[in-house]
Amino acid sequence: MRRPDLHLHTTASDGRYDVWQVARMVQRADVTLFSITDHDTMAALPAAADAAYERGLAFLPGVEISTEGDDEVHVLGYGVKYDDPVLADFFQKMRQERMDRVRRVGQKLEELGMKLPVEEIIANAGSSVGRPHLGRALAERGYVKDTPEAFDRFIGRGKPAYVPRITPSAAEAIALLKSRGAVPVLAHPQEIRWTMDCLLQKLDEWQDAGLMGLEVYHPANREHYAVWDAIARKRGLLVTGGSDFHTEGDKHSLIGATAGEWPDALHDAWKLFRISQK
Ligand SMILES: [Zn+2]
Ligand SMILES: [Zn+2]
C-alpha cells in the first residue's frame, strides 16, 4: 500500500464520474487503497468493490453522512456493509428529505423567474440529489455562469432560493454507524463553522457517542494539519485522510493529493483498514 485516498465521490452522489471512471483515475494517481464515500448513499459500493478487484486495488467501503442541518457537519463511516438493512432504511429517509428540499428550492427559483425541470434533475441525479445539481442546471441554462455563482446569488445559505436542510445530529449518525459495526470518523473539521472551543467540546460528546477517527489530511485542513493531527492523536482518535474528489480541474482536491502531505499515511490508513474489517 503506497498511497491511500479515503474520501472520494462518484455520480452516486454529487461527483462527476462514475465508480468505474473513479477507479481508473485512482489507479492512474498511484493510489493503492481507496474508499468511496458518497453523501448519504451506499449505492456505488458494490460496483466499487468489483472495480477495485479488477484493478487489484485495496478498497474500503465508506459513506459520508450529512448532519447538523445547516451547520453541515459531515460524518464518514468506514467498513459499512452495503446490504445493511438498517443503514439502507436510514439513507432512504435522507434521500426523501433531499428530494423534498430540491423540489422546494426549485419552487423558489421558479418564483424568481428561473424554471428548471426539477423532476428530470432528480431522476438523473443518482442516489443523492442536492444543490450542486440545481447549480449546474442554472449554469446550463445561462441563468448564472457557473455553480459557485448559483450558490452566491440564489441557492447558498441566506440567498433568495435557500431552503434549510433537516438532517440527523452528528451524535446520532456516529452512534448509528458504530452500532452497525462501521468506524465513525469526523470529516474535514476545518470546514465546520463553529469556534474551536465549541468544536472541542463537541468532540468530547461525539467520542462518548462512539466517534473513532478524525479526517486530518483533507484539503480544507491543509494550513492546519499539525493542529488536527495532534488533537486526533492526543484523543486516541484514528487519523484519516483523503482528497474529497468530486471532479477533475478542482486543484484543491486531486485524487491522491493529500497522501503526499500525510507523513504516516501508510501506517494510519492500514490501521483504519484493519479496524474496519473487524
Ligand atoms: Zn464533506
Ligand atoms: Zn466529501
Side-chain angles (χ1 to χ4, degrees), residues 7-9 14 37 39 64 74 76 187-188 218 244-246:
H7 192 152
L8 300 158
H9 293 273
D14 57 353
T37 52
H39 298 287
E64 181 172 24
H74 292 174
L76 295 157
H188 43 67
H218 177 283
D244 209 354
F245 174 79
H246 284 79

Side-chain angles (χ1 to χ4, degrees), residues 47-125:
D50 289 348
Y53 178 76
E54 263 183 22
R55 292 179 180 276
L57 302 168
F59 172 64
L60 180 55
V63 70
E64 181 172 24
I65 306 181
S66 310
T67 73
E68 304 288 333
D70 288 342
D71 288 338
E72 290 197 49
V73 174
H74 292 174
V75 176
L76 295 157
Y78 290 106
V80 285
K81 318 247 176 334
Y82 24 90
D83 54 357
D84 184 318
V86 174
L87 289 178
D89 184 57
F90 176 79
F91 292 129
Q92 175 52 35
K93 288 197 179 99
M94 289 196 77
R95 181 169 184 231
Q96 190 58 50
E97 190 275 332
R98 273 180 181 273
M99 291 193 290
D100 291 346
R101 183 196 195 199
V102 161
R103 289 191 182 104
R104 287 169 63 206
V105 175
Q107 227 162 27
K108 287 197 168 194
L109 287 169
E110 194 172 336
E111 284 160 23
L112 293 164
M114 292 165 281
K115 189 163 168 48
L116 295 177
V118 172
E119 292 308 317
E120 197 184 308
I121 292 168
I122 290 173
N124 293 333

Side-chain angles (χ1 to χ4, degrees), residues 83-269:
D83 54 357
D84 184 318
V86 174
L87 289 178
D89 184 57
F90 176 79
F91 292 129
Q92 175 52 35
K93 288 197 179 99
M94 289 196 77
R95 181 169 184 231
Q96 190 58 50
E97 190 275 332
R98 273 180 181 273
M99 291 193 290
D100 291 346
R101 183 196 195 199
V102 161
R103 289 191 182 104
R104 287 169 63 206
V105 175
Q107 227 162 27
K108 287 197 168 194
L109 287 169
E110 194 172 336
E111 284 160 23
L112 293 164
M114 292 165 281
K115 189 163 168 48
L116 295 177
V118 172
E119 292 308 317
E120 197 184 308
I121 292 168
I122 290 173
N124 293 333
S127 302
S128 65
V129 67
R131 284 178 300 165
H133 295 102
L134 293 173
R136 272 177 230 158
L138 285 170
E140 276 162 21
R141 281 158 188 79
Y143 291 121
V144 293
K145 71 173 192 313
D146 53 20
T147 307
E149 191 190 320
F151 274 79
D152 255 19
R153 289 180 55 199
F154 304 115
I155 59 179
R157 202 209 296 234
K159 305 301 169 182
Y162 181 72
V163 174
R165 280 206 71 182
I166 304 155
T167 63
S169 73
E172 280 169 335
I174 288 163
L176 174 71
L177 286 167
K178 190 76 188 291
S179 75
R180 305 313 294 170
V183 177
V185 171
L186 182 67
H188 43 67
Q190 198 66 38
E191 273 189 357
I192 301 172
R193 299 184 196 98
W194 304 344
T195 63
M196 193 62 161
D197 276 354
C198 176
L199 195 52
L200 290 176
Q201 226 167 49
K202 281 286 190 180
L203 273 177
D204 290 338
E205 188 190 309
W206 293 336
Q207 283 191 261
D208 288 344
L211 186 72
M212 294 171 74
L214 190 63
E215 188 187 40
V216 173
Y217 294 93
H218 177 283
N221 299 351
R222 200 161 263 150
E223 310 294 316
H224 310 274
Y225 282 154
V227 174
W228 292 112
D229 189 289
I231 289 171
R233 292 184 204 276
K234 199 172 136 211
R235 288 172 167 263
L237 290 166
L238 294 161
V239 171
T240 80
S243 62
D244 209 354
F245 174 79
H246 284 79
T247 182
E248 256 173 344
D250 178 357
K251 288 178 198 65
H252 303 292
S253 70
L254 292 170
I255 292 180
T258 47
E261 303 159 352
W262 178 3
D264 288 320
L266 201 135
H267 177 256
D268 291 336

